[in-house]
Amino acid sequence: MSSLDTFALEKLAALEARHLRRTLQDSTRADGPWIIRNGVRLLSFSCNDYLNLAQHPAVRDAAIKAIREHGVGAGASRLVTGNHPLFAELEMRLARLKGTEAACVFGSGYLANLGIISTLMGKNDLVLMDELSHSCILAGADLSGATALTFRHNDVNHAAALLQQHRGQHRHALLATDGVFSMDGDLAPVHALATLAKQYDAWLLTDDAHGIGVVAGGRGSTFVNGVADVPLQMGTLSKAIGSYGGYLCASQSVIDLIKTRARTFVYSTGLPPASAAAAIAALNIIETDPDLVAAPLRKAQSFTRALNLREAESPIVPIVMGDAEKTLLASRLLEDEGFLVAAIRPPTVPPGTSRLRLTFTAAHPDDQIQRLARLIGERILPRAP
Ligand SMILES: *Cc1c(COP(=O)(O)O)cnc(C)c1O
């Protein structure tokens, strides 16, 4: 056997022994939050399609129409020939929703953060991140070559202490956080971070992958309890928007720089026009249907109330089990009862905090939410720490 295969097999065996190996399972998304796995229909609490827009007739039709008219792939980077006019329309719509001068659409949310952070930050600079920030913020900071530090989760005083200590040694500073934390569902203290950023001339970046479409009337975490001053609002088109792609909303000058210099924008093919068309159709719905936009959080709160958990602040609810194996067993128990609830393990979450992560969508039936809460209350929570 080659040394390469030996390397791969040994790595896999070591992960397996710690219950951290991951495997793909065929999953066919049926209607709304239902999914088919191994021929079984399960109610999924693990999709980020919060508004079920991936299957909405108007969103589908927009994508199909775009494919018929323009074909499938963009054919090149947007800076060469891949800049379909639908992108300008989509960027205008995103900027309007977020209250910024301009926007830039990327291939994905992950690519957006890699490109944004590595364009704005360099080796003499400081990136200060919440410790629970998404993997792509950490990866962007790594790629930038800047000094990267983390502050304790949502601890503005710790962030202030680190800025006080380190800001002076660096030319520029970026303060980065998830707006809605992807594995915890809590909100960042965006207003306090904005004030802190101003005080130290740091640039605030919020990753609103789980905020757009579902928090603050769909406008996202910047707009909770009044508008916060967030110069860099990024996010994804792949969750509540139901399509695919990532975005940054910012001032015209920042967007112009990103479109000229961000490597993941310049050297990567533009999104398929159908993804842009679908996203525009989804934004039409989000901007005109406040009841739909409010539904996922309302459903999550009915679940946290039923179990006396801390009230949900977003459609994401974690049930921290601690141990990876115990979490996998809990997930299998729920699957036997017809529910798909993914077990989230390290390194997606810190060691010792393996958890069930539930996401609620507008279309989850209320009686099923109550049945799931009863099952978890009777058969899983007694075994959690
Ligand atoms: C999902 C997610 C991303 C990545 O977005 P994609 O479009 O799926 O690449 C980035 N940040 C956070 C917080 C996320 O949850």
Side-chain angles (χ1 to χ4, degrees):
M1 195 182 294
S2 73
S3 60
L4 174 59
D5 287 321
T6 307
F7 164 78
L9 289 172
E10 282 175 4
K11 276 268 194 191
L12 287 169
L15 289 167
E16 184 87 51
R18 292 157 59 210
H19 304 282
L20 297 181
R21 179 167 180 180
R22 299 168 185 219
T23 50
L24 289 167
Q25 291 204 53
D26 284 355
S27 309
T28 308
R29 297 191 54 218
D31 47 318
W34 298 90
I35 214 162
I36 314 284
R37 260 201 189 169
N38 305 316
V40 181
R41 191 173 149 92
L42 300 169
L43 182 59
S44 169
F45 286 85
S46 294
C47 298
N48 301 318
D49 182 15
Y50 297 113
L51 303 174
N52 318 98
L53 293 181
Q55 297 173 332
H56 190 285
V59 178
R60 284 187 208 239
D61 285 350
I64 290 166
K65 180 162 172 280
I67 288 178
R68 283 203 204 289
E69 286 178 10
H70 312 299
V72 178
S77 163
R78 289 181 54 192
L79 285 165
V80 184
T81 57
N83 195 38
H84 195 279
L86 283 167
F87 288 113
E89 185 183 343
L90 175 56
E91 286 169 346
M92 188 271 284
R93 294 292 301 272
L94 288 165
R96 196 174 78 188
L97 183 73
K98 296 289 187 175
T100 62
E101 287 174 1
C104 174
V105 168
F106 288 80
S108 74
Y110 206 105
L111 290 173
N113 267 336
L114 288 186
I116 297 161
I117 300 175
S118 66
T119 300
L120 298 178
M121 295 282 112
K123 76 173 173 2
N124 297 319
D125 301 327
L126 173 68
V127 179
L128 182 58
M129 305 167 275
D130 187 287
E131 64 183 349
L132 297 186
S133 295
H134 192 266
S135 159
C136 57
I137 294 181
L138 277 70
D142 273 353
L143 185 63
S144 76
T147 300
L149 299 174
T150 54
F151 59 93
R152 284 189 296 272
H153 177 51
N154 277 352
D155 186 340
V156 179
N157 290 332
H158 189 216
L162 289 169
L163 280 169
Q164 168 76 35
Q165 191 183 345
H166 296 276
R167 177 67 183 92
Q169 291 94 274
H170 299 278
R171 187 184 44 170
H172 297 136
L174 183 79
L175 189 56
T177 183
D178 287 16
V180 176
F181 285 86
S182 57
M183 296 299 135
D184 296 79
D186 52 347
L187 303 180
V190 177
H191 286 276
L193 290 172
T195 304
L196 182 65
K198 263 231 171 72
Q199 197 180 336
Y200 284 93
D201 187 25
W203 306 330
L204 179 60
L205 178 145
T206 55
D207 178 337
D208 226 19
H210 296 277
I212 190 170
V214 285
V215 166
R219 298 188 75 189
S221 62
T222 305
F223 299 87
V224 174
N225 299 327
V227 191
D229 186 1
V230 184
L232 301 162
Q233 301 182 62
M234 69 75 59
T236 181
L237 305 173
S238 326
K239 288 167 182 160
I241 309 287
S243 180
Y244 195 70
Y247 67 84
L248 171 67
C249 293
S251 66
Q252 188 67 55
S253 47
V254 168
I255 294 300
D256 288 347
L257 175 65
I258 292 290
K259 286 181 175 170
T260 306
R261 295 291 286 178
R263 281 182 269 172
T264 54
F265 180 85
V266 176
Y267 300 110
S268 191
T269 300
L271 276 178
S275 299
I280 293 166
L283 288 172
N284 289 340
I285 295 165
I286 288 168
E287 289 182 349
T288 52
D289 192 344
D291 292 341
L292 178 75
V293 165
L297 176 58
R298 194 164 46 71
K299 304 248 174 190
Q301 288 174 340
S302 75
F303 176 83
T304 51
R305 266 198 303 277
L307 281 172
N308 258 327
L309 301 172
R310 194 169 59 84
E311 171 138 284
E313 296 175 39
S314 77
I316 303 167
V317 177
I319 296 181
V320 177
M321 308 284 296
D323 178 64
E325 189 181 11
K326 202 156 71 171
T327 311
L328 281 174
L329 289 174
S331 172
R332 289 200 191 114
L333 183 154
L334 293 175
E335 186 164 338
D336 289 341
E337 297 289 338
F339 296 117
L340 178 69
V341 181
I344 307 287
R345 294 163 285 160
T348 306
V349 292
T353 70
S354 289
R355 67 196 64 185
L356 299 172
R357 170 183 178 268
L358 293 86
T359 51
F360 293 81
T361 78
H364 275 91
D366 291 320
D367 57 333
Q368 295 288 341
I369 293 174
Q370 294 308 316
R371 186 167 84 83
L372 176 66
R374 270 197 306 281
L375 255 174
I376 290 178
E378 286 163 13
R379 298 183 53 196
I380 291 176
L381 281 183
R383 284 171 230 177

